């Protein structure tokens, strides 16, 4: 993790996490609702989530066999996009207006559309990493290849659920159902949140197991079991989204 792109991602990720934690403190001081389109919850959760994901991607992709130049460019684009997403959400939180699906004014529309476009860039970059992980077997300790591929596979579920939330919300907004647009994202949030962090949790488990004295077979079986449990959690979130939608 000594390449410039990796160091940039780690530094930016740490700043985003710190920003999220700062806004958790703002919530405790300022109060206000925890749920809803206007809440200090959003800069907190998005800051921590994007920061952790950025650092995770910088680390996990070091095991992916791909061109270092391409990987470096993708990491820089991903870092910039994470800053855009968290920055837009944080800006709107301080303005006390919704960050997503808000077309009430020209400025709010620009911010909402910028976040939507940024989401599209995230999909492209992360899908490129996912494809690379399946084209050639990732390196690393025993179980890491399985963990990386499963993590990216589940991450694609998070991207798909995010795209559904944004797409359906924009449709409702454009057809004059602003409040319904905000409510429409609720069923998909557990699915999006659970599946988003598999790319960190599963490779981290494989790495930790590599530090133990367990046999290679035991470590590999443990990773497979963890992937199965995570997949079951994602399946449960899919059922919840289907039932509550």
């Amino acid at each position: 993790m000594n390449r410039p792109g990796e160091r940039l991602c780690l530094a930016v990720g740490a700043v985003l996490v710190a920003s999220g934690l700062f806004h958790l403190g703002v919530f405790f001081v300022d109060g206000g609702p925890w749920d809803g389109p206007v809440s200090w919850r959003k800069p907190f959760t998005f800051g921590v989530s994007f920061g952790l994901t950025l650092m995770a991607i910088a680390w996990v992709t070091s095991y992916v066999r791909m061109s270092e130049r391409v990987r470096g460019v993708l990491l820089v684009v991903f870092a910039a996009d994470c800053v855009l997403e968290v920055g837009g959400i944080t800006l709107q939180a301080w303005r006390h207006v919704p960050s997503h699906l808000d077309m009430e004014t020209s400025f709010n529309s620009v911010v909402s559309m910028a976040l939507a476009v940024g989401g599209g860039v995230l999909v492209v970059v992360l899908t490129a990493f996912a494809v690379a992980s399946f084209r050639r077997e990732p390196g690393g300790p025993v179980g890491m290849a399985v963990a990386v591929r499963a993590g990216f596979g589940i991450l694609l579920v998070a991207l798909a659920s995010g795209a559904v939330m944004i797409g359906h919300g924009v449709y409702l907004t454009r057809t004059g159902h602003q409040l319904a647009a905000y409510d429409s994202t609720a069923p998909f949030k557990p699915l999006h949140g659970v599946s988003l962090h598999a790319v960190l949790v599963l490779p981290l488990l494989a790495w930790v197991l590599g530090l133990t004295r367990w046999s290679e077979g035991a470590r590999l079986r443990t990773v497979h079991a963890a992937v199965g449990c995570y997949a079951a959690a994602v399946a449960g979130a899919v059922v919840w989204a289907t039932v509550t939608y």
Side-chain angles (χ1 to χ4, degrees), residues 163-244:
V164 170
M165 286 191 289
I166 293 174
H168 189 53
V170 169
Y171 169 76
L172 291 174
T173 299
R174 294 296 188 185
T175 54
H177 302 87
Q178 187 74 55
L179 294 179
Y182 296 140
D183 295 336
S184 68
T185 63
F188 297 95
K189 287 180 179 179
L191 172 61
H192 186 67
V194 170
S195 54
L196 183 65
H197 295 293
V199 74
L200 169 61
V201 174
L202 296 176
L204 183 61
L205 172 64
W207 180 79
V208 170
L209 289 173
L211 301 179
T212 69
R213 296 183 178 180
W214 292 10
S215 68
E216 291 187 356
R219 281 181 276 162
L220 187 58
R221 287 192 297 272
T222 301
V223 172
H224 278 292
V227 170
C229 291
Y230 214 110
V234 172
V238 170
V239 172
W240 172 262
T242 302
V243 171
T244 58

Side-chain angles (χ1 to χ4, degrees), residues 40 48 72 83 108 116 131 141 158 186 192 197 212:
W40 293 117
V48 172
V83 172
N108 291 340
V131 170
H192 186 67
H197 295 293
T212 69

